[in-house]
């Protein structure tokens, strides 16, 4: 029997992911040791409540409430507590003690990633975070390593399983947002307070991480334009379906070049958008996630899979753990973040996009000409128009635009809303991922 050295691992947090990480470490210890060349010794699990119910049956003697003491005896610390504090303090303490860190904490990285990476680089420690963005889907390592020599131009991501489940159910069954959310809650896809998901906050944090990594620049979460799905209606989803689109909450990060100045910037945003049904992202159903990457040399790449779930996300955590443990065996400093360039994060008004606008108007002569005049006044070209008239004489116009600057499109919508000929602007959705 081969005798392996031991690498001491401390686990902070025993929720749905943490408990599965611990279970897999204990159950697959021999197999992991053979892969790593060293045995992983789980020295303890820091929790707030020793008597709380867990998702896995683990030895009680592993639990402790003294996270700081646990950290001091560890070679690698896995942080799966979530939130900012005490996670930030404990991660910094772990790095300062000489330990490497694996985390799945998207909120912490989005808010304080720069500080944490700087601390790790200063002491030669490794900070890995594959589980922070898309659950089991490997996207951090491909961006960080496989595409490090390429030029990523654009990322379109479905990175929140709750909202994808809700929008997918609305599309498939005609359900309202409220009914689809109730089903998601009943099935355990949505939290009791779903604000972080349906408000787009979760996706914005993940967009920050993806953009900072893909474009080698610092993107603060406050610079991400964020819109949730709370305003999406069954009528919008049905109209999209008839037109050959599906509504998805997208996290988008892309390079932009100012055609007048030649200066480069990046745009990072989260909002519900129309995606053509021919696009690969349109086929992402249920609570799954997917990230579509467009790179100059590699071309279009699609990463798809479970975006959440305890055991699925544990897979990503263990992948990081094995990679770091292997470094302990062979030696060498941790892999630092790539040198960051100072590329400006541009406001939403600078992007180029297309709109699909639904208007309620009166069916009378001259209305279409007047509306066309509004578009022309703002330099926006109409690509397609559909009109339906109900028995009361009220007309509904669905207008698709050609690509234009976001600010010009927004100004067009504002002018339409002020027009006496328009009863209401019933819907405005951007179109992304044209194929």
């Amino acid at each position: 029997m081969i005798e392996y050295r031991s690498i001491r691992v401390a686990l902070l947090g025993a929720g749905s992911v943490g408990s599965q990480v611990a279970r897999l470490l204990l159950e697959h210890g021999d197999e992991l040791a053979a892969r790593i060349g060293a045995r992983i010794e789980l020295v303890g699990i820091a929790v707030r409540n020793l008597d709380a119910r867990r998702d896995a049956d683990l030895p009680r003697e592993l639990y402790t409430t003294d996270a700081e003491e646990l950290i001091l005896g560890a070679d690698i610390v896995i942080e799966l507590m979530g939130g900012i504090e005490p996670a930030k303090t404990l991660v910094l303490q772990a790095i300062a003690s000489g330990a490497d860190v694996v985390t799945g904490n998207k909120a912490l990285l989005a808010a304080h990633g720069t500080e944490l990476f700087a601390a790790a680089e200063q002491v030669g420690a490794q900070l890995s975070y594959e589980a922070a963005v898309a659950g089991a889907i490997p996207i951090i390592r491909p961006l960080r390593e496989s595409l490090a020599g390429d030029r990523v131009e654009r990322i379109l991501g479905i990175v929140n399983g709750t909202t994808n489940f809700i929008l997918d159910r609305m599309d498939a069954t005609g359900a309202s947002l409220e009914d689809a959310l109730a089903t998601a809650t009943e099935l355990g896809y949505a939290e009791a307070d779903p604000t972080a998901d349906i408000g787009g906050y979760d996706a914005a944090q993940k967009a920050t991480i993806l953009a900072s990594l893909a474009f080698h620049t610092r993107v603060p979460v406050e610079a991400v334009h964020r819109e949730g799905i709370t305003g999406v209606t069954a009528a919008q989803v049905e109209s999209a379906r008839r037109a050959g689109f599906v509504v998805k909450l997208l996290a988008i990060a892309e390079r932009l070049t100012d055609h007048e100045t030649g200066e480069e910037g990046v745009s990072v945003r989260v909002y519900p958008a129309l995606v053509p049904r021919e696009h690969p992202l349109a086929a992402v159903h249920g609570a799954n996630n997917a990230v579509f990457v467009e790179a100059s040399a590699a071309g279009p790449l699609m990463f798809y899979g479970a975006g959440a779930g305890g055991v699925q996300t544990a897979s990503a955590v263990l992948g990081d753990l094995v990679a770091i443990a292997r470094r302990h065996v062979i030696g060498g400093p941790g892999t630092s973040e790539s040198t960051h360039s100072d590329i400006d994060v541009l406001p939403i008004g600078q992007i180029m996009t297309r709109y699909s606008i639904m208007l309620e108007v009166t069916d009378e002569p001259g209305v279409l000409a007047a509306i066309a005049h509004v578009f022309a006044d703002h330099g926006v070209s109409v690509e397609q128009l559909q009109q339906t008239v109900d028995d009361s004489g009220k007309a509904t116009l669905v207008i698709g635009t050609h690509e234009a600057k976001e600010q010009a499109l927004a100004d067009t919508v504002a002018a339409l809303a002020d027009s006496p000929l328009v009863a209401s602007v019933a819907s405005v959705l951007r179109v992304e991922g044209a194929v």
Side-chain angles (χ1 to χ4, degrees):
M1 180 176 177
I2 300 175
E3 290 293 330
Y4 295 107
R5 58 170 284 196
S6 290
I7 297 175
R8 294 166 63 83
V9 173
L11 175 60
L12 310 182
S16 60
V17 178
S19 60
Q20 294 301 324
V21 167
R23 179 184 66 81
L24 292 170
L25 283 176
L26 295 175
E27 291 181 0
H28 300 164
D30 291 341
E31 185 176 351
L32 291 174
R35 294 178 192 174
I36 295 167
R39 185 167 294 281
I40 294 297
E41 180 187 355
L42 181 60
V43 296
I45 307 170
V47 295
R48 293 185 180 90
N49 181 359
L50 294 173
D51 298 318
R53 187 175 179 181
R54 315 293 178 196
D55 289 350
D57 186 16
L58 303 170
R60 186 175 176 83
E61 59 268 22
L62 285 174
Y63 294 114
T64 177
T65 57
D66 193 344
E68 294 187 11
E69 181 67 23
L70 191 62
I71 286 170
L72 293 176
D75 300 306
I76 303 172
V77 174
I78 302 174
E79 185 276 307
L80 297 171
M81 306 172 71
I84 304 298
E85 287 293 357
K88 177 189 173 186
T89 297
L90 293 172
V91 167
L92 288 173
Q93 287 178 352
I95 291 170
S97 75
D100 292 322
V101 174
V102 176
T103 181
N105 193 332
K106 57 186 175 292
L108 178 61
L109 292 170
H112 299 288
T114 299
E115 178 183 355
L116 298 177
F117 290 124
E121 186 170 2
Q122 188 173 13
V123 299
Q126 180 75 50
L127 175 59
S128 296
Y129 52 99
E130 186 66 69
V133 171
I137 302 172
I139 184 61
I140 299 301
R141 195 169 287 112
L143 288 174
R144 194 180 198 177
E145 299 174 14
S146 305
L147 295 173
D150 207 335
R151 179 182 171 90
V152 175
E153 299 291 349
R154 196 168 196 240
I155 294 174
L156 294 174
I158 297 172
V159 294
N160 182 272
T162 300
T163 51
N164 197 63
F165 177 87
I166 290 170
L167 293 173
D168 187 49
R169 187 167 181 83
M170 292 174 70
D171 178 68
T173 69
S176 67
L177 175 68
E178 293 75 15
D179 288 344
L181 174 57
T183 301
T185 304
E186 181 182 342
L187 294 175
Y189 293 126
E191 302 287 344
D193 180 1
T195 303
D197 295 321
I198 65 174
Y201 296 95
D202 174 84
Q205 292 168 347
K206 295 171 179 176
T208 295
I209 297 169
L210 288 173
S212 297
L213 190 58
F215 304 132
H216 311 283
T217 194
R218 293 181 175 88
V219 179
V221 70
E222 309 84 55
V224 178
H225 176 86
R226 176 192 54 78
E227 299 174 29
I229 66 167
T230 53
V232 177
T233 66
Q236 286 178 314
V237 174
E238 172 59 21
S239 175
R241 189 187 63 76
R242 290 198 303 268
F245 294 94
V246 62
V247 181
K248 296 290 187 183
L249 181 71
L250 296 181
I252 304 170
E254 65 179 337
R255 294 182 189 269
L256 297 175
T257 301
D258 190 310
H259 296 295
E260 296 179 2
T261 66
E263 293 184 358
E264 187 177 69
V266 298
S267 169
V268 188
R269 58 214 192 250
V270 169
Y271 47 59
L274 298 176
V275 177
R277 289 189 179 268
E278 297 81 13
H279 194 281
L281 288 177
V284 179
H285 299 297
N288 286 316
N289 282 192
V291 181
F292 190 81
V293 179
E294 299 172 16
S296 293
L301 303 168
M302 179 84 158
F303 301 84
Y304 170 85
V311 69
Q312 293 90 344
T313 306
S315 169
V317 174
L318 290 179
D320 280 343
L321 176 63
V322 168
I324 290 176
R326 284 290 298 156
R327 185 179 67 80
H328 280 254
V329 172
I330 64 176
T335 303
S336 63
E337 293 299 284
S338 60
T339 302
H340 283 76
S341 55
D342 294 322
I343 305 176
D344 289 336
V345 182
L346 303 177
I348 186 73
Q350 295 297 308
I351 72 168
M352 299 293 290
T353 188
R354 297 161 56 201
Y355 272 19
S356 176
I357 306 167
M358 184 185 297
L359 304 175
E360 304 289 349
V361 301
T362 55
D363 184 28
E364 59 185 54
V367 170
L368 289 178
I371 288 174
H373 189 67
V374 172
F375 279 87
D377 283 346
H378 292 87
V380 176
S381 175
V382 174
E383 181 179 31
Q384 58 184 4
L385 183 148
Q386 297 177 343
Q387 177 177 345
T388 58
V389 181
D390 62 21
D391 295 337
S392 66
K394 181 185 293 184
T396 299
L397 302 179
V398 179
I399 302 169
T401 75
H402 283 286
E403 190 173 73
K405 251 189 178 177
E406 166 77 20
Q407 191 59 59
L409 289 162
D411 290 344
T412 302
V413 172
L416 290 168
D418 289 340
S419 171
L421 297 174
V422 176
S424 70
V425 179
S427 167
V428 178
L429 287 172
R430 298 170 185 87
V431 179
E432 298 286 353
V435 292

